[in-house]
Each structure stands twice: as C-alpha cells, then as structure tokens.
Amino acid sequence: MSEGIFSREVLLVGSETMAAIASKKVIIFGVGGVGSWCAESLVRSGIEQLTIVDSDCVCVTNVNRQLMATSKTIGKAKVEVLKERLLEINPAARVNAIQGVYTQETSHTFNLYSYDYVIDAIDSLKDKANLILETTKTDARLFSSMGAALKMDVTKIQVAEFWKVKGCPLAAALRRKFRHEKTFPSKKFKCVYSEELLQNRGLQPADSPSQSRPNGTVAHATAIFGFMLAGLLIQDIYEGVSES
C-alpha cells in the first residue's frame, strides 16, 4: 500500500529521494497549531521515523487551529490522538509519541544526536532557546518556528536564517537572551516567521492573568507555518540526493 500512497510523489522526486525520505529520523517538539500540521505533512511526504513530543491534552480552545483537535478529542493527549491519525495515513510509519515537555532538565532524555532533523515548534522562550543551543551542537538539521500568533496575511509568512529574521518579537527575544547570556547557537539554522503583528480585537477572559493571556490565532496561518517547516525538511533531503 505504501507504494500506492506515495506514487504521485515518486513521479516528482524519484525513488532515490523517496528512499532517503523514509530513512530519516525526525523529532518534532510541540504539536500544537504549527507542529501538528508539520507532522501530518511529513508523514504524507514519506517520513516513516517520526517522534512527536508534547505534554498537553486537547482542550476546546485548540479546535480552531490544531490538526487533531476536534469536539471528540477534547481531553485526550495530543500526541496520542495525532499518532492515531498519522498511522491511519501510513500504517507503515513508526511514530513515537512522547507526552512530555522539553526543558533544560529533560533535554538529556531525548538524545538529539540520534536524529537527522529536529523541528522546533516550542512556545516557551526558555525551553526554545535551550533546544536551539543543544540541537545546533549536533549534526541534526534544525528548522524552527517563530511566533505564529497575531498573524492573518499568509503572503507575509517567509523563511530566513535566524539572525536575519525581521519584525518577529519572539526571534528578537531569543537573540537578546543569547546575547545577554553570551551563549550562542553553534551553527546557522532556518526559521519560518512573519513580520505581521496584529492586535487582539477581542476581549480577554476577565479571570485570565495578564502575564499568561493568550494571543489570537487562526488555522490558515499556523498551518502554513507548519507546512513550510515540513517543506524545508523535504526540500533539504531532495537537494541532498540531487547533489550526491
């Protein structure tokens, strides 16, 4: 069945590239509005060795933008629901679902050196910074999502090397953190980002603490961030095969 699933892709990229795609080990940190769509795109593109990491369960506010979030999956672990869907797409895929969180304290449990690609879709500034620092010490190729909230215009979503990202508060905060701590990524890596920065027009819940109030998000923006991360990864494999 796998041959049938990927027959249209084989026409485009060739069997050698498809074999290369299937051989790569990928880990995605964060499978929310960005990471969930990235995971689906990767499996539909032939990635067969995928680890997904997220500690959260599906809640009602996820339904507007997260792939596996529906009225029937509320309350279930995100990684387990997503794994079930991914295996329905390709039963031959090996999907490792980890309901946990990446932090400096847990980083050693993930063995980043064992992966060919690392996808960063983490929201936490501190954890994101640590993942970037640790991944860039390895041979793995890193692709990172900058802030996908407060975005509406998909034509403004783009890709740049981390130090060349403009207009993104999250990227700016990461750079400030690295400079302040005098600890920097060991190599360059590409990011998906948008310079657009809208304002929330709706009212925040009255009981929501000001320091943890969420920003508005829409599915088409977060999904495109995820698809672009997947596209960067598949393109990298394709180019590697073409150049060999």
Side-chain angles (χ1 to χ4, degrees), residues 11 29 34 36 44 50 53 56 73 100 113 128 130 132 135 147 155 160 167 169 181 188 192 197 203 210 231:
L11 285 174
F29 290 97
V34 173
S36 60
R44 288 187 185 274
L50 179 65
V53 182
D56 291 342
T73 62
Y113 287 86
K128 193 179 197 75
N130 185 266
I132 289 170
T135 301
T155 66
E181 297 177 357
K188 294 181 178 181
V192 178
L197 193 62
L203 297 176
S210 58

Side-chain angles (χ1 to χ4, degrees), residues 37 59-67 69-70 216-220 222:
W37 298 97
C59 70
V60 67
T61 61
N62 300 150
V63 175
N64 84 309
R65 69 196 183 282
Q66 298 187 14
L67 179 73
T70 70
T217 48
V218 289
H220 63 264
T222 61

Side-chain angles (χ1 to χ4, degrees), residues 102-161:
Y102 179 94
T103 65
Q104 183 174 352
E105 292 71 30
T106 65
S107 61
H108 68 282
T109 67
F110 294 102
N111 190 16
L112 297 175
Y113 287 86
S114 68
Y115 294 94
D116 299 295
Y117 291 94
V118 175
I119 298 291
D120 159 38
I122 293 177
D123 294 327
S124 163
L125 178 67
K126 178 182 177 182
D127 299 335
K128 193 179 197 75
N130 185 266
L131 178 61
I132 289 170
L133 293 174
E134 293 302 316
T135 301
T136 55
K137 294 176 185 176
T138 75
D139 292 332
R141 186 66 62 92
L142 170 68
F143 296 114
S144 180
S145 172
M146 296 295 105
L150 300 176
K151 316 298 182 189
M152 181 69 70
D153 186 348
V154 299
T155 66
K156 294 181 179 179
I157 301 173
Q158 53 192 307
V159 175
E161 197 282 320

Side-chain angles (χ1 to χ4, degrees), residues 65-83:
R65 69 196 183 282
Q66 298 187 14
L67 179 73
M68 63 286 163
T70 70
S71 59
K72 293 183 178 180
T73 62
I74 291 171
K76 297 180 180 180
K78 289 182 182 180
V79 290
E80 294 298 337
V81 178
L82 182 57
K83 176 181 178 178

